mmCIF file of all heavy atoms in Angstrom:
data_model
loop_
_atom_site.group_PDB
_atom_site.id
_atom_site.type_symbol
_atom_site.label_atom_id
_atom_site.label_comp_id
_atom_site.label_asym_id
_atom_site.label_seq_id
_atom_site.Cartn_x
_atom_site.Cartn_y
_atom_site.Cartn_z
ATOM 1 N N LYS A 70 -3.189 -6.631 -0.372
ATOM 2 C CA LYS A 70 -4.184 -7.564 0.029
ATOM 3 C C LYS A 70 -4.214 -8.020 1.453
ATOM 4 O O LYS A 70 -5.259 -8.449 2.042
ATOM 5 C CB LYS A 70 -4.183 -8.970 -0.845
ATOM 6 C CG LYS A 70 -4.685 -8.788 -2.227
ATOM 7 C CD LYS A 70 -4.653 -10.172 -2.913
ATOM 8 C CE LYS A 70 -5.547 -11.250 -2.214
ATOM 9 N NZ LYS A 70 -6.816 -11.452 -2.884
ATOM 10 N N ARG A 72 -2.218 -10.404 2.266
ATOM 11 C CA ARG A 72 -2.118 -11.807 1.990
ATOM 12 C C ARG A 72 -0.796 -12.481 2.507
ATOM 13 O O ARG A 72 0.259 -11.920 2.129
ATOM 14 C CB ARG A 72 -2.311 -12.093 0.495
ATOM 15 C CG ARG A 72 -2.189 -13.528 -0.013
ATOM 16 C CD ARG A 72 -2.811 -13.616 -1.328
ATOM 17 N NE ARG A 72 -2.600 -14.758 -1.987
ATOM 18 C CZ ARG A 72 -3.433 -15.344 -2.883
ATOM 19 N NH1 ARG A 72 -4.658 -14.696 -3.058
ATOM 20 N NH2 ARG A 72 -3.274 -16.368 -3.651
ATOM 21 N N PRO A 156 -4.027 -12.063 -8.141
ATOM 22 C CA PRO A 156 -5.063 -12.733 -7.348
ATOM 23 C C PRO A 156 -6.366 -11.972 -7.528
ATOM 24 O O PRO A 156 -6.347 -10.902 -8.139
ATOM 25 C CB PRO A 156 -4.624 -12.570 -5.831
ATOM 26 C CG PRO A 156 -3.808 -11.191 -5.887
ATOM 27 C CD PRO A 156 -3.216 -11.171 -7.315
ATOM 28 N N SER A 157 -7.497 -12.347 -6.922
ATOM 29 C CA SER A 157 -8.678 -11.649 -6.981
ATOM 30 C C SER A 157 -8.450 -10.279 -6.216
ATOM 31 O O SER A 157 -7.744 -10.289 -5.223
ATOM 32 C CB SER A 157 -9.843 -12.375 -6.286
ATOM 33 O OG SER A 157 -9.389 -12.824 -4.950
ATOM 34 N N ASN A 159 -9.280 -8.306 -4.032
ATOM 35 C CA ASN A 159 -9.940 -7.950 -2.703
ATOM 36 C C ASN A 159 -8.978 -8.225 -1.567
ATOM 37 O O ASN A 159 -7.975 -8.868 -1.784
ATOM 38 C CB ASN A 159 -11.093 -8.991 -2.589
ATOM 39 C CG ASN A 159 -10.613 -10.488 -2.709
ATOM 40 O OD1 ASN A 159 -10.601 -10.987 -3.796
ATOM 41 N ND2 ASN A 159 -10.300 -11.000 -1.601
ATOM 42 N N SER A 165 -14.788 -11.657 -3.372
ATOM 43 C CA SER A 165 -14.093 -11.198 -4.526
ATOM 44 C C SER A 165 -14.918 -10.191 -5.258
ATOM 45 O O SER A 165 -16.116 -10.166 -5.162
ATOM 46 C CB SER A 165 -13.877 -12.453 -5.488
ATOM 47 O OG SER A 165 -13.068 -13.420 -4.787
ATOM 48 N N GLU A 194 -14.709 -17.620 -8.991
ATOM 49 C CA GLU A 194 -13.356 -17.895 -9.512
ATOM 50 C C GLU A 194 -13.187 -19.030 -10.329
ATOM 51 O O GLU A 194 -14.210 -19.921 -10.513
ATOM 52 C CB GLU A 194 -12.384 -18.071 -8.338
ATOM 53 C CG GLU A 194 -12.379 -16.711 -7.479
ATOM 54 C CD GLU A 194 -13.501 -16.507 -6.510
ATOM 55 O OE1 GLU A 194 -14.418 -17.526 -6.474
ATOM 56 O OE2 GLU A 194 -13.577 -15.606 -5.697
ATOM 57 N N ARG A 209 -9.983 -26.523 -6.519
ATOM 58 C CA ARG A 209 -11.039 -25.566 -6.202
ATOM 59 C C ARG A 209 -12.052 -25.632 -7.351
ATOM 60 O O ARG A 209 -11.636 -25.400 -8.472
ATOM 61 C CB ARG A 209 -10.385 -24.106 -6.133
ATOM 62 C CG ARG A 209 -11.497 -23.027 -5.950
ATOM 63 C CD ARG A 209 -10.904 -21.607 -5.859
ATOM 64 N NE ARG A 209 -10.462 -21.048 -7.199
ATOM 65 C CZ ARG A 209 -9.844 -19.917 -7.345
ATOM 66 N NH1 ARG A 209 -9.654 -19.035 -6.267
ATOM 67 N NH2 ARG A 209 -9.555 -19.559 -8.533
ATOM 68 N N HIS A 255 -13.469 -17.978 3.940
ATOM 69 C CA HIS A 255 -12.879 -17.196 2.949
ATOM 70 C C HIS A 255 -14.009 -16.865 2.045
ATOM 71 O O HIS A 255 -15.072 -17.282 2.302
ATOM 72 C CB HIS A 255 -11.884 -18.099 2.238
ATOM 73 C CG HIS A 255 -10.714 -17.485 1.556
ATOM 74 N ND1 HIS A 255 -9.656 -17.334 2.077
ATOM 75 C CD2 HIS A 255 -10.553 -17.039 0.320
ATOM 76 C CE1 HIS A 255 -8.686 -16.705 1.258
ATOM 77 N NE2 HIS A 255 -9.369 -16.466 0.195
ATOM 78 N N TYR A 256 -13.824 -15.925 1.152
ATOM 79 C CA TYR A 256 -14.851 -15.423 0.222
ATOM 80 C C TYR A 256 -15.980 -14.918 1.193
ATOM 81 O O TYR A 256 -17.164 -15.129 0.842
ATOM 82 C CB TYR A 256 -15.339 -16.541 -0.703
ATOM 83 C CG TYR A 256 -14.335 -17.285 -1.418
ATOM 84 C CD1 TYR A 256 -14.020 -18.621 -1.132
ATOM 85 C CD2 TYR A 256 -13.595 -16.664 -2.437
ATOM 86 C CE1 TYR A 256 -13.034 -19.299 -1.821
ATOM 87 C CE2 TYR A 256 -12.666 -17.391 -3.168
ATOM 88 C CZ TYR A 256 -12.369 -18.580 -2.785
ATOM 89 O OH TYR A 256 -11.412 -19.285 -3.473
HETATM 90 MG MG1 MG B 403 -9.138 -14.726 -3.966
#
Side-chain angles (χ1 to χ4, degrees):
K70 279 185 66 95
R72 175 158 166 150
S157 53
N159 53 273
S165 301
E194 298 80 357
R209 178 178 73 183
H255 210 88
Y256 310 109

